[in-house]
Amino acid sequence: VSFVAGLMLGLSLLGLLPHAVGALHSVRQGTAWLLTGFLAMFLLQRFLPFHHHDVPDGQPAAHGGQAPTLAEQSARHLTWVSVALGLSLHSVFDGLAIAAAVAAGARDSGGALGLGTALAVILHKPFGALAIITLMAASGAARSAQLRVNLAFALVTPLGALLFHLGSGNWAQTHPGWLGAVLAFCAGTFLCIACLGLLPELQFHTH
């Protein structure tokens, strides 16, 4: 988890954002789009089913003096359908990031940015898939249904990348400002995932 979080953090600030600023020719516009992406992902995680990391103020202590975590409380109300829909929308942004990074790499005659973005997405996808399948297993869903849902979830990110390529591929090449805005927006989503999704998990593991 720490490796993937570090990869996404570095890719956001040292890979996607510099390319975005270069394409936009404006640090101010680049950081504005980065904050837009950060807030979009934050709101997505906050108002759709997500994993809580904190204990609410004034929460009464449970048995043994330990306060029940929000994660334990929310887990009782989560359904695999809602989690799958939320993570699928999240995955569309991942596909957008990959396609934009590949387009930027093609424009600059380099493939490192696209490869790094794809690697970051591939490495953190199993966490989302595990959450969906675990909830499906807990709800008694058939093994065949779990496999079908897992396959469909795996295809969302490539579909998002394909839609960006078909809908905006040529436009991104001829309008570098548009591509820069997309890159900065995706940098913000990666930054949010790393800081609010992955890194907070580390404090809950003794190692």
Side-chain angles (χ1 to χ4, degrees):
V1 173
S2 58
F3 173 77
V4 177
L7 178 62
M8 298 191 78
L9 189 63
L11 187 65
S12 171
L13 298 179
L14 303 178
L16 295 173
L17 183 60
H19 275 79
V21 170
L24 290 166
H25 303 293
S26 171
V27 173
R28 184 171 184 174
Q29 289 186 37
T31 52
W33 278 108
L34 178 135
L35 289 174
T36 301
F38 187 98
L39 288 173
M41 184 58 67
F42 171 79
L43 293 173
L44 177 64
Q45 292 184 346
R46 194 65 183 169
F47 293 106
L48 289 177
F50 73 107
H51 182 71
H52 297 267
H53 300 286
D54 54 334
V55 176
D57 294 334
Q59 177 67 42
H63 299 294
Q66 295 290 332
T69 65
L70 284 176
E72 293 169 340
Q73 296 178 51
S74 63
R76 303 189 186 103
H77 306 289
L78 289 177
T79 65
W80 72 264
V81 175
S82 59
V83 171
L85 290 175
L87 289 175
S88 294
L89 183 56
H90 170 157
S91 297
V92 171
F93 288 129
D94 289 336
L96 176 67
I98 293 175
V102 170
R107 185 178 179 83
D108 298 337
S109 300
L113 184 63
L115 181 61
T117 305
L119 181 63
V121 170
I122 290 169
L123 289 177
H124 91 268
K125 272 299 142 207
F127 304 144
L130 180 62
I132 296 171
I133 297 304
T134 299
L135 287 171
M136 290 189 73
S139 69
R143 180 68 175 170
S144 58
Q146 295 178 37
L147 293 175
R148 288 195 298 270
V149 170
N150 201 23
L151 176 61
F153 177 68
L155 292 175
V156 172
T157 295
L159 179 62
L162 180 62
L163 290 176
F164 174 83
H165 176 71
L166 295 176
S168 306
N170 293 332
W171 179 270
Q173 292 299 326
T174 56
H175 295 76
W178 159 255
L179 181 59
V182 174
L183 286 171
F185 180 90
C186 293
T189 65
F190 274 31
L191 185 64
C192 185
I193 294 169
C195 294
L196 303 182
L198 297 176
L199 289 175
E201 290 289 342
L202 301 180
Q203 65 180 315
F204 295 101
H205 301 279
T206 57
H207 62 278

